[in-house]
Amino acid sequence: MTDDTLADYNFAYLDEQTKRMIRRAILKGLAIPGYQVPFASREMPMPYGWGTGGVQVSAATLTPDDTLKVIDQGADDTTNAVSIRKFFEKTAGVATTTRTAEATVIQTRHRIPEDDLTEDQILVYQVPIPEPLRFLEPRETETRKMHALEEYGLMHVKLYEDISRHGHIATSYAYPVKVQDRYVMDPSPIPKFDNPKMEMPAIQLFGAGREQRIYALPPYTKVVSLDFEDHPFDPSKAPHPCGLCGAADSYLDEVITDDQGGRMFVCSDTDYCESRRAAGHTGSLTEDAA
Amino acid sequence: MTRDDAVTPLLSVRDVTKRYGARIGCAEVSFDLYPGEVMGIVGESGSGKSTLLNCLAGHVPPDGGKVIFDTRAEGPRDTLSMSEPERRMLGRTDWAFVHQHARDGLRMGVSAGGNVGERLMAVGARHYGDIRDKAIDWLGRVEIAADRVDDRPTAFSGGMQQRLQIARNLVTGPRLVFMDEPTGGLDVSVQARLLDLLRGLVRDMGLSAIIVTHDLAVVRLLAHRLMVMKDGHVVETGLTDQVLDDPQHAYTQLLVSSVLQV
């Protein structure tokens, strides 16, 4: 630990008993992929909705040798990402990075990094509402029963409603998936573009602080996005290349640049975009400047 | 009785009892329901009609008795000793339950098509076009125009909601329908149309049904047989016309004579 670590706190803020409790929930979650494990979520020094679940899972996962990366909507430099990174710098004294490849633990909100993750990495998601059936069936007792008995017809009713109203499946984020042919899971509000990436070598952990649920995907778990035979799943993205690095395969943010209808599309993954630009790739906007 | 030898009853109820503490919900009710038969259960409020229906449909666990249903795959089985997934599967396929208030049986935030399609999707339908065609077909059968398929039930009148609930229940081709006051809360002309529709559907699909109601006109039109309940006990059973035209039990006589004549 470095000297500017807060001495009065245990490593990574939470006490060891709490971390053991969370680790038990994580292990159970890994043993039953996609199943929501209840855990005794603690009060964290940040408001609900800012990643209290993800922070607790990260705290229970971190070791002093880890390198932490925190992203918010793909970016390393937004408020949420910066404050959580600082939080662990202070309370755990772990090394932090913005480089996806160098990180061992990545806490994320709403994105999966563009770079492929490896077996040595853990991806921790911040989850606002872990229950995929919540907006269709408000009773927790009933949704638990539906999970237990694998009654997932209702999930397709939501997709049916999308098609009947919009002509296509308009759900573009938090797109429900079926894990290992068993549990239907909410992949947290990642864009559906990221859904196919969830079959990956890294461990994926999901923490919902307010709802007190943890769930997990072991490496290489089968993750299938739900769809209809005549309306197959489509991991869509904006049909543009990145304006800064020219990448055609990354998920893009649309940024309004003036009030004349001007706009630009840039990679939402800032690390991916920066490393591409450092390697000499240019987009339509950077070419103009050069 | 030659019928007993020839046909297996679709539903055999034996000594079904439900107590609420010291009070009796329904006590030792037994009857057989044969395929294609419609049975009415009448009685005053609090006589245990709805308790009995909920016990039969598996919504409330009874304190004793047997409910034996003639399943398609395995023949007669006691639904009370079935595992819960099996019972819930029956509830989605071979059974249907029409609630008194359409709001209890419908998803009010989901379009009419989605409401009808839910049961199809629950048993594994995954082709949007097919589900939608079937939903529109069923809306037509219950006299709801095809252009209302994307409207929510909140935009429907009470009678339409009730018809939608019936379509939603019958879309998987159930063999047994439980109805709890299907015409309650509807005005008489709408009631008449609904009864007409139900009678047609029951006849065309060869449905068996158990109808709980306190409206004697409903059972006169729909039910083949009648069971009269009072204070949780069955006080009289028989053919509908026989019971209504020549009531034997004092309570049945009171019930029949209480109907207002217009």
Side-chain angles (χ1 to χ4, degrees), chain A residues 145 151 156 161 165 229-230, chain B residues 88 92 111 126 128-129:
Chain A
K145 195 166 272 181
E151 288 180 1
H156 273 85
E161 288 291 285
R165 209 168 299 157
E229 286 158 17
D230 48 346
Chain B
R88 283 172 71 112
R92 294 201 295 273
S111 70
R126 292 290 180 266
Y128 174 80

Side-chain angles (χ1 to χ4, degrees), chain A residues 136-138 142 145-146 149-154 156-157 159-161 163-165 227-231, chain B residues 84-85 88-89 92 107 109-111 113-114 118 121-122 125-132 135 149-150 152:
Chain A
L136 300 153
E137 176 54 68
E142 188 64 17
K145 195 166 272 181
M146 289 159 86
L149 303 180
E150 229 178 318
E151 288 180 1
Y152 290 131
L154 195 55
H156 273 85
V157 173
L159 302 180
Y160 172 95
E161 288 291 285
I163 302 172
S164 73
R165 209 168 299 157
D227 59 3
F228 284 104
E229 286 158 17
D230 48 346
H231 286 268
Chain B
E84 191 168 14
R88 283 172 71 112
M89 191 64 185
R92 294 201 295 273
R107 288 192 191 278
V110 169
S111 70
E118 182 180 342
M121 293 183 247
R126 292 290 180 266
H127 190 285
Y128 174 80
D130 292 351
I131 294 168
R132 193 172 171 82
V149 66
D150 291 331
R152 292 185 177 188

Side-chain angles (χ1 to χ4, degrees), chain B residues 3-253:
Chain B
R3 200 166 68 164
D4 275 312
D5 304 329
V7 191
T8 318
L10 187 66
L11 190 76
S12 292
V13 179
R14 292 285 172 269
D15 300 326
V16 166
T17 302
K18 172 73 188 172
R19 288 193 192 80
Y20 298 108
R23 279 173 293 120
I24 292 171
C26 59
E28 290 167 8
V29 179
S30 301
F31 65 89
D32 285 330
L33 184 76
Y34 288 88
E37 199 176 29
V38 178
M39 194 169 78
I41 303 176
V42 295
E44 59 189 3
S45 298
S47 60
K49 318 183 290 283
S50 297
T51 299
L52 176 64
L53 196 73
N54 283 320
C55 285
L56 300 183
H59 296 172
V60 174
D63 296 316
K66 281 194 169 91
V67 180
I68 297 158
F69 179 71
D70 186 18
T71 58
R72 280 185 220 228
E74 298 168 48
R77 291 194 53 193
D78 185 1
T79 59
L80 300 178
S81 59
M82 265 183 186
S83 68
E84 191 168 14
E86 286 180 300
R87 195 161 51 235
R88 283 172 71 112
M89 191 64 185
L90 264 187
R92 294 201 295 273
T93 54
D94 267 358
W95 287 3
F97 197 102
V98 177
H99 293 265
Q100 174 177 5
H101 302 292
R103 286 167 179 275
D104 297 338
L106 292 173
R107 288 192 191 278
M108 298 307 281
V110 169
S111 70
N115 264 296
V116 178
E118 182 180 342
R119 270 171 85 106
L120 294 170
M121 293 183 247
V123 294
R126 292 290 180 266
H127 190 285
Y128 174 80
D130 292 351
I131 294 168
R132 193 172 171 82
D133 290 346
K134 209 153 182 188
I136 290 174
D137 173 45
W138 265 98
L139 289 182
R141 289 206 220 180
V142 296
E143 299 166 17
I144 297 175
D147 61 358
R148 304 298 301 270
V149 66
D150 291 331
D151 291 349
R152 292 185 177 188
T154 40
F156 286 8
S157 69
M160 281 173 82
Q161 287 181 2
Q162 197 58 283
R163 295 204 299 276
L164 177 62
Q165 192 194 178
I166 288 163
R168 167 184 158 91
N169 271 288
L170 298 188
V171 66
T172 47
R175 292 189 296 155
L176 176 59
V177 186
F178 300 101
M179 296 192 217
D180 190 2
E181 311 257 12
T183 59
L186 301 177
D187 70 63
V188 282
S189 59
V190 174
Q191 262 189 35
R193 274 180 67 197
L194 188 74
L195 286 174
D196 212 35
L197 177 81
L198 276 175
R199 198 153 54 153
L201 288 172
V202 165
R203 194 171 301 154
D204 294 346
M205 298 176 70
L207 293 174
S208 303
I210 298 177
I211 301 178
V212 161
T213 181
H214 51 233
D215 187 342
L216 295 181
V218 170
V219 288
R220 176 79 92 175
L221 275 171
L222 284 177
H224 303 129
R225 280 198 300 146
L226 205 55
M227 207 160 84
V228 183
M229 290 187 73
K230 171 138 178 58
D231 299 331
H233 294 271
V234 177
V235 295
E236 189 165 355
T237 56
L239 298 175
T240 304
D241 291 346
Q242 179 196 329
V243 173
L244 293 182
D245 294 341
D246 183 19
Q248 301 294 314
H249 190 273
Y251 173 69
T252 317
Q253 290 168 355

Side-chain angles (χ1 to χ4, degrees), chain A residues 81-266:
Chain A
V82 171
S83 57
I84 291 176
R85 193 162 57 230
K86 285 238 175 81
F87 175 76
F88 281 118
E89 280 172 5
K90 268 195 172 163
T91 59
V94 292
T96 56
T97 180
T98 60
R99 307 295 310 275
T100 302
E102 289 166 12
T104 53
V105 176
I106 303 172
Q107 180 170 336
T108 178
R109 173 172 179 263
H110 300 196
R111 271 316 304 281
I112 295 175
E114 301 292 350
D115 286 327
D116 289 335
L117 301 182
T118 67
E119 291 181 1
D120 302 325
Q121 292 177 309
I122 297 175
L123 188 58
V124 177
Y125 294 79
Q126 302 170 199
V127 182
I129 295 165
E131 178 52 72
L133 301 162
R134 175 60 64 239
F135 292 111
L136 300 153
E137 176 54 68
R139 289 168 293 180
E140 175 73 15
T141 47
E142 188 64 17
T143 54
R144 280 206 207 185
K145 195 166 272 181
M146 289 159 86
H147 281 295
L149 303 180
E150 229 178 318
E151 288 180 1
Y152 290 131
L154 195 55
M155 206 67 248
H156 273 85
V157 173
K158 177 181 156 56
L159 302 180
Y160 172 95
E161 288 291 285
D162 264 6
I163 302 172
S164 73
R165 209 168 299 157
H166 306 286
H168 60 100
I169 299 179
T171 304
S172 56
Y173 65 95
Y175 192 103
V177 294
K178 192 158 203 176
V179 176
Q180 206 70 27
D181 299 320
R182 178 59 181 86
Y183 283 98
V184 165
M185 185 187 93
D186 185 340
S188 91
I190 59 170
K192 66 178 170 183
F193 174 81
D194 283 342
N195 273 19
K197 294 193 219 161
M198 297 186 87
E199 289 186 15
M200 61 159 74
I203 292 176
Q204 298 169 77
L205 306 175
F206 299 78
R210 178 179 45 206
E211 304 280 325
Q212 314 201 326
R213 293 289 184 278
I214 284 172
Y215 49 105
L217 294 175
Y220 307 108
T221 304
K222 183 177 168 191
V223 179
V224 179
S225 304
L226 300 179
D227 59 3
F228 284 104
E229 286 158 17
D230 48 346
H231 286 268
F233 172 71
D234 170 31
S236 61
K237 65 181 273 279
H240 299 275
C242 171
L244 298 179
C245 75
D249 58 349
S250 68
Y251 190 74
L252 302 173
D253 286 339
E254 181 180 1
V255 182
I256 307 292
T257 50
D258 55 34
D259 58 1
Q260 309 297 312
R263 59 173 70 172
M264 61 189 280
F265 289 91
V266 292

